[in-house]
Amino acid sequence: MGDGTATTTDLDAQLEKHRVELTGYCYRMLGSSFEAEDAVQDTLVRAWRSHATFEGRSSLRSWLYRIATNVCLDMLAAGSKRARPMDLTESTPLARAALSPRPDHTWLEPMPDARVLPAVQDPAEAAVAKESVRLAFMAALQQLPPKQRAVLILREVLAWRASEVAELLGTSVASVNSALQRARATLAAREDRGAEAALADPLDEEQRKLLERYVQAFEGYDMTALTALLHEDAVMTMPPFDLWLTGPADITGFMTTLGASCAHSRLLPVRANGLPGFAHYKPDPENGGFTPWAVQVLEVSEGRITGFHCFLDTERWFPLFDLPLHLEAEADEVQHSR
């Protein structure tokens, strides 16, 4: 491709082949679904415009990663880093729970697996890719300075050689190794890095049954059944609100008080951040049926739910996940309500 003779159609197809993996890279760098997709679009446009000057000294893939890295580093120059509620505030007891929103750019955002995880044959490679977009790991990445973040992702997630990373960043192998060492030390200091390590890939029979019981408990709004599924240290978050709750008593207490309108909801399965999740629709009293309320992402460990993360900005998340913006009531529900 280095001779500049490829047709426009050929070039578009060649670039498009890399979209998913580049989106995964930019998402890990930026912590934002929409910024990642913007960064990839910018990367592909820059590559298309400057392809005539691409001399083929490196592979097209590594050239694209160089462009994407520069785009992300420029976007991160403002110093913003995205977070989860537990990275910003202390856990709030239910008695003091208040829903205080923060701006969108504060939060680590969810991402559909299909947009960031390329299909790979090697199960070990697939597992590493999934672990590297899980919420706890993504939050840890956000604590790293941008260049350390790039080095860690390229070396440990994408398995690039130190020499390849040094060439991409225009630096020395010694500098890359030093940055990787510092990044590893920062991540090791974070207690929650391995919080989701027990999640099987693909989900094993026990985990599938746990999720089935969760759907039954949530849709039936059965707090006794839900309590049995939650780890004693389970955490519930609800971005854009900075409130987060710990433990089954406060979580179910919230759901039956401030969250009481979620009774009789419906859940549709989704895959987000390498984790099981659900599109949560709650009853729509005005129009009938069900209206979008949240994308839920669940963390599971040792047969219990340890994290219950509800992303509430449905106008952004439901289109991203290709989810319908209304669910009709099933016939038996309509009959029952008369």
Side-chain angles (χ1 to χ4, degrees), residues 12-205:
D12 285 343
Q14 288 282 349
L15 295 176
E16 195 61 33
K17 277 198 315 190
H18 298 278
R19 181 181 291 275
V20 173
E21 66 169 310
L22 288 171
T23 305
Y25 176 61
C26 294
Y27 176 59
R28 295 177 186 102
M29 285 291 290
L30 301 169
S32 162
S33 325
F34 296 103
E35 286 183 4
E37 296 201 327
D38 287 347
V40 172
Q41 196 58 33
D42 191 3
T43 297
L44 297 180
V45 168
R46 291 188 193 191
W48 200 90
R49 285 177 177 163
S50 60
H51 184 257
T53 65
F54 172 56
E55 297 171 359
R57 286 193 297 263
S58 62
S59 69
L60 177 68
R61 180 174 182 254
S62 59
W63 183 59
L64 289 171
Y65 270 93
R66 181 180 299 123
I67 298 171
T69 300
N70 289 332
V71 169
C72 289
L73 292 177
D74 287 346
M75 292 174 75
L76 290 165
S80 64
K81 52 186 181 185
R82 293 178 177 260
R84 303 168 300 171
M86 57 275 234
D87 301 319
L88 301 178
T89 63
E90 293 298 315
S91 179
T92 308
L94 178 61
R96 296 208 310 272
L99 297 177
S100 306
R102 295 200 189 193
D104 289 340
H105 63 74
T106 307
W107 303 116
L108 183 64
E109 296 179 348
M111 182 64 117
D113 283 3
R115 290 181 182 251
V116 290
L117 298 177
V120 294
Q121 300 301 317
D122 181 356
E125 190 180 334
V128 168
K130 283 190 174 186
E131 286 166 12
S132 69
V133 292
R134 289 183 183 167
L135 295 171
F137 186 78
M138 289 286 298
L141 284 177
Q142 294 291 302
Q143 302 306 308
L144 301 174
K147 282 201 173 173
Q148 282 186 32
R149 205 179 299 177
V151 167
L152 185 98
I153 297 165
L154 291 165
R155 290 282 286 120
E156 298 221 322
V157 177
L158 302 176
W160 285 38
R161 294 192 295 272
S163 57
E164 293 173 320
V165 178
E167 183 181 348
L168 181 144
L169 293 174
T171 188
S172 67
V173 168
S175 175
V176 166
N177 289 336
S178 174
L180 180 60
Q181 197 171 9
R182 292 196 303 276
R184 282 173 173 163
T186 300
L187 263 59
R190 287 181 63 92
E191 294 176 5
D192 61 2
R193 186 188 176 192
E196 305 149 20
L199 193 66
D201 180 37
L203 295 178
D204 61 28
E205 185 65 22

Side-chain angles (χ1 to χ4, degrees), residues 25 31 49 67 74 85 108 111 113 140 207 209 235-236 249 280 308 317 323:
Y25 176 61
R49 285 177 177 163
I67 298 171
D74 287 346
L108 183 64
M111 182 64 117
D113 283 3
Q207 289 165 346
K209 286 181 177 175
V235 165
M236 178 182 184
H280 172 192
F308 173 52
W317 305 134
L323 291 162

